[in-house]
């Protein structure tokens, strides 16, 4: 991979798959960007990927830091592909309607987390029944989410309405 592609320069889908595998683990790249699917890559004026869309919606945005931020469609794809509890924050019934409404997740409502989660990681917010209800950014590491009784665990970016899940 060239330096420009490695830095996200004029990265194509093969390079974006590699970045996804690095960020979320092996297999994430093919799950997010299946080779057989026709995807739309919106680019900046310099050619850097900005967002990747499928017919079902936004999969990811590609940050200037070289990391992906998940859209709900990307969350759905990772939810199907990654082994539980990888990159998941599991919440209870009490917080579900708030999270779906794009309110943040607080530690006291978290039942389980993926052990690899670090602050700033993109995470899937999942109901205890196993259904994806939102995507967002972890504010704390997995062990801190488990240890703290107060505080924000996940800054929710996009919630799944009950009828869309």
């Amino acid at each position: 991979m060239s330096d420009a592609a490695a830095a996200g320069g004029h990265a194509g889908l093969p390079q974006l798959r590699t970045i996804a595998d690095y960020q979320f683990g092996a297999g994430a790249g093919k799950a997010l960007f299946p080779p057989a699917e026709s995807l739309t890559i919106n680019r900046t004026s310099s050619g850097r990927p900005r967002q990747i869309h499928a017919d079902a919606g936004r999969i990811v945005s590609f940050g200037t830091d070289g990391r992906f931020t998940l859209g709900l469609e990307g969350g759905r794809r990772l939810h199907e592909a990654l082994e539980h509890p990888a990159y998941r924050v599991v919440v209870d019934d009490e917080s579900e309607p708030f999270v779906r409404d794009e309110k943040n997740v607080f530690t006291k409502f978290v039942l389980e987390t993926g052990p690899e989660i670090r602050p700033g990681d993109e995470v899937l917010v999942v109901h205890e029944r196993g259904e994806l209800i939102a995507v967002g950014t972890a504010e704390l590491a997995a062990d801190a989410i488990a240890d703290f009784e107060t505080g924000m665990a996940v800054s929710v970016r996009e919630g799944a309405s009950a009828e869309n899940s």
Side-chain angles (χ1 to χ4, degrees):
M1 183 171 12
S2 72
D3 289 343
H10 292 280
L13 287 175
Q15 291 84 9
L16 295 174
R17 283 187 197 104
T18 300
I19 294 166
D21 285 347
Y22 178 78
Q23 185 173 342
F24 297 108
K30 279 192 175 170
L32 288 172
F33 317 119
E37 187 176 8
S38 178
L39 301 173
T40 303
I41 302 176
N42 296 333
R43 296 180 181 273
T44 64
S45 58
S46 67
R48 188 182 69 75
R50 184 185 344 222
Q51 292 187 342
I52 296 95
H53 290 263
D55 289 342
R58 183 173 66 87
I59 300 171
V60 296
S61 295
F62 188 60
T64 55
D65 63 355
R67 293 174 44 140
F68 292 118
T69 55
L70 292 170
L72 201 54
E73 178 59 21
R76 286 187 182 109
R77 292 168 183 230
L78 287 182
H79 185 54
E80 291 176 14
L82 299 178
E83 291 285 326
H84 182 86
Y87 292 97
R88 287 171 179 80
V89 174
V90 181
V91 298
D92 61 14
D93 277 331
E94 193 174 347
S95 63
E96 177 191 15
F98 300 100
V99 173
R100 285 185 184 279
D101 197 31
E102 300 180 354
K103 304 292 189 270
N104 296 326
V105 176
F106 289 87
T107 56
K108 72 180 192 174
F109 301 107
V110 175
L111 303 175
E112 181 184 14
T113 61
E116 72 289 326
I117 294 173
R118 299 167 304 186
D121 280 351
E122 287 295 300
V123 295
L124 313 174
V125 182
V126 178
H127 186 271
E128 59 188 317
R129 290 186 306 268
E131 130 191 41
L132 177 72
I133 60 174
V135 292
T137 306
E139 295 294 322
L140 299 168
D143 57 350
I145 293 172
D147 291 345
F148 294 178
E149 293 185 21
T150 61
M152 188 169 38
V154 178
S155 175
V156 172
R157 179 177 317 98
E158 190 175 350
S161 60
E163 61 273 2
N164 290 345
S165 56

